Amino acid sequence: MTHFPHPSWVEVNLEQFRKNIEVIRSYIGTRLFCLVVKANAYGHGLCPIGIAAELAGVDYLAVAHLQEGILLRQAKVRIPILVLGAIHEDQIDDLINFNLEFSISSQFKADLVASKCRPKRQKVRVHLEVDTGMQRTGVRPQTAISLFSHLEATGCFDVVGIYSHLATADLPNDPFAMTQIEIFKNLVENPIFQKKPIIKHLANSGGICHYNDSMFDMVRPSFATFGYPFKTAHLPLQELKPCLSVKSKISYVKIVDEGVGISYGHSYKTKHRIKVATIPIGYGDGYRRSLSNKASILLHGEKVPVVGTICMDQFMINAHNLPVHVGDEVVLLGKQHSGEILLQEFADLCETSPYEILCGFSDRLPRIYL
Ligand SMILES: *Cc1c(COP(=O)(O)O)cnc(C)c1O
């Protein structure tokens, strides 16, 4: 991929990404590995990550929406792609034409699909989605068997999978997660699901990190694969390391006198004469405004503080006594020399989850792959 020169970027280390895939692969054994690449692969870049995952031997991809699946198919990804989100009537033709698998979570949706594909005389590959306690989408376990029989009877469906989603698996030993696993296990052990091979899948990152019995036939860990195992994750998964960094280059440097206000609203006033440098990235890129006067970035491996309110396209730092020149590289997330800005610190300052930070880096930042 080529980009016009831009002074700020997201860097993705594909070698580390492939190492993470290896770590998970050896942990899950012979189970299938489904990588969820929704929301621009958690900010890492949908198609480059989809292609790299396929080459690294991932078995399945999953996305939230039809459009994400189409982009992957147009990028020539050939492995199965499961669209997780509930489908809409006007998407059914494209789901079929782009060879995407999708979720069936009600008889209503099943009948819509059947009415569209009967004339095509084509079987569609679907996964039956069961709600074991997330209250988002999915049929209740009590109706899953009758819906499955209905799907088989219409003759339009090849039910290749049955799955559910864990609501609280980011915590170890969570009673609700254990209940969900138990409900799912009891359901999929029903003889009706043993007559032909059906992929049973439940575990997200929290599942594989904390609950071995949630792994079934396929796992869907995404956050962990991008290098963020939970601190409480089983030991081998602590090998997972982040592969994404956010970097920029100093665009302007000046000396500011004592008692001077900096940026919108003058939310910062200099306590003495300081060296101020400007960084050309802002909340329009996903470097959030709530980091104003709170975050630090790395300059020559040292942490230096953000001063003043973060603007849409730029913000300022107090460069202290460090040498600083226009063009010097700075790191907003990730490592520089012996310094590191962790995703969790970043998210804590923004009072949100690290997931939201990752998928918040906008398209304006080019993705550079190492
Ligand atoms: C997003 C998602 C995942 C991946 O979750 P992680 O916590 O990133 O592992 C798995 N399954 C479903 C249904 C999802 O929506």
Side-chain angles (χ1 to χ4, degrees), residues 36 38 42 84 129 136 163-165 202-206 220-224 230 355:
V36 185
K38 63 195 179 191
Y42 291 43
L84 295 163
E129 188 193 0
R136 188 164 69 176
Y163 79 100
S164 188
H165 192 49
L202 176 64
N204 52 6
S205 295
R220 310 185 305 264
S222 210
F223 193 54
F230 296 96
Y355 288 68

Side-chain angles (χ1 to χ4, degrees), residues 136-151:
R136 188 164 69 176
T137 47
V139 278
R140 292 179 198 286
Q142 310 86 278
T143 28
I145 291 172
S146 63
L147 179 55
F148 179 73
S149 308
H150 180 75
L151 292 174

Side-chain angles (χ1 to χ4, degrees), residues 38-345:
K38 63 195 179 191
N40 202 21
Y42 291 43
H44 294 64
L46 174 65
C47 290
I49 289 294
I51 291 165
E54 177 170 40
L55 285 172
V58 161
D59 304 290
Y60 244 90
L61 296 177
V63 293
H65 295 297
L66 165 67
Q67 47 163 339
E68 297 171 316
I70 293 177
L71 289 171
L72 288 165
R73 284 287 180 245
Q74 287 172 337
K76 304 270 183 284
V77 167
R78 276 184 294 265
I79 52 177
I81 300 172
L82 166 59
V83 176
L84 295 163
I87 58 164
H88 291 264
E89 186 173 5
D90 57 1
Q91 299 177 318
I92 296 169
D93 285 328
D94 283 330
L95 286 163
I96 298 170
N97 294 339
F98 283 94
N99 187 24
L100 301 167
E101 298 178 6
F102 53 94
S103 308
I104 291 291
S105 53
S106 69
Q107 182 164 336
F108 171 74
K109 295 282 172 80
D111 292 343
L112 277 178
V113 175
S115 68
K116 297 254 182 196
C117 67
R118 227 173 248 120
K120 291 189 205 266
R121 301 176 161 279
Q122 192 177 357
K123 281 206 170 191
V124 289
R125 292 162 63 87
V126 297
H127 294 239
L128 178 58
E129 188 193 0
V130 185
D131 184 2
T132 54
M134 179 80 180
Q135 308 301 340
R136 188 164 69 176
T137 47
V139 278
R140 292 179 198 286
Q142 310 86 278
T143 28
I145 291 172
S146 63
L147 179 55
F148 179 73
S149 308
H150 180 75
L151 292 174
E152 294 284 280
T154 58
C156 295
F157 298 98
D158 186 4
V159 184
V160 294
I162 178 168
Y163 79 100
S164 188
H165 192 49
L166 296 168
T168 59
D170 48 338
L171 300 171
N173 304 313
D174 180 76
F176 193 77
M178 292 185 209
T179 306
Q180 284 196 273
I181 295 166
E182 202 52 37
I183 293 171
F184 188 71
K185 183 166 178 284
N186 286 334
L187 176 65
V188 300
E189 278 176 355
N190 189 294
I192 197 168
F193 299 117
Q194 319 306 323
K195 288 184 194 149
K196 59 167 200 173
I198 296 180
I199 305 164
K200 292 139 188 131
H201 51 115
L202 176 64
N204 52 6
S205 295
I208 77 154
C209 287
H210 301 132
Y211 303 91
N212 282 344
D213 54 353
S214 71
M215 297 207 284
F216 297 91
D217 304 329
M218 179 161 84
V219 297
R220 310 185 305 264
S222 210
F223 193 54
T225 310
F226 289 119
Y228 308 97
F230 296 96
K231 280 203 282 290
T232 41
H234 295 140
L235 210 55
L237 296 173
Q238 298 297 344
E239 299 288 305
L240 298 163
K241 295 282 177 287
C243 45
L244 177 144
S245 319
V246 180
K247 300 186 174 182
S248 186
K249 287 180 195 162
I250 304 274
S251 61
Y252 203 89
V253 182
K254 64 185 171 291
I255 303 292
V256 177
D257 278 335
E258 179 186 335
V260 174
I262 292 179
S263 193
Y264 286 123
H266 284 178
S267 64
Y268 185 88
K269 281 227 164 51
T270 55
K271 290 167 199 76
H272 41 83
R273 214 170 130 88
I274 62 168
K275 194 159 43 172
V276 171
T278 304
I279 317 289
I281 175 172
Y283 61 79
D285 304 283
Y287 196 73
R288 299 209 175 186
R289 197 168 177 277
S290 51
L291 296 165
S292 301
N293 292 308
K294 284 189 194 160
S296 296
I297 68 160
L298 297 169
L299 170 64
H300 307 308
E302 307 274 343
K303 281 193 176 178
V304 294
V306 170
V307 288
T309 302
I310 294 179
C311 312
M312 196 181 290
D313 320 297
Q314 41 199 331
F315 69 91
M316 275 65 82
I317 55 166
N318 178 353
H320 291 305
N321 303 319
L322 297 169
V324 53
H325 300 98
V326 168
D328 285 353
E329 190 169 303
V330 292
V331 170
L332 292 78
L333 179 62
K335 287 185 180 172
Q336 191 184 46
H337 310 305
S338 60
E340 182 167 14
I341 310 279
L342 296 169
L343 178 64
Q344 188 64 55
E345 291 172 33

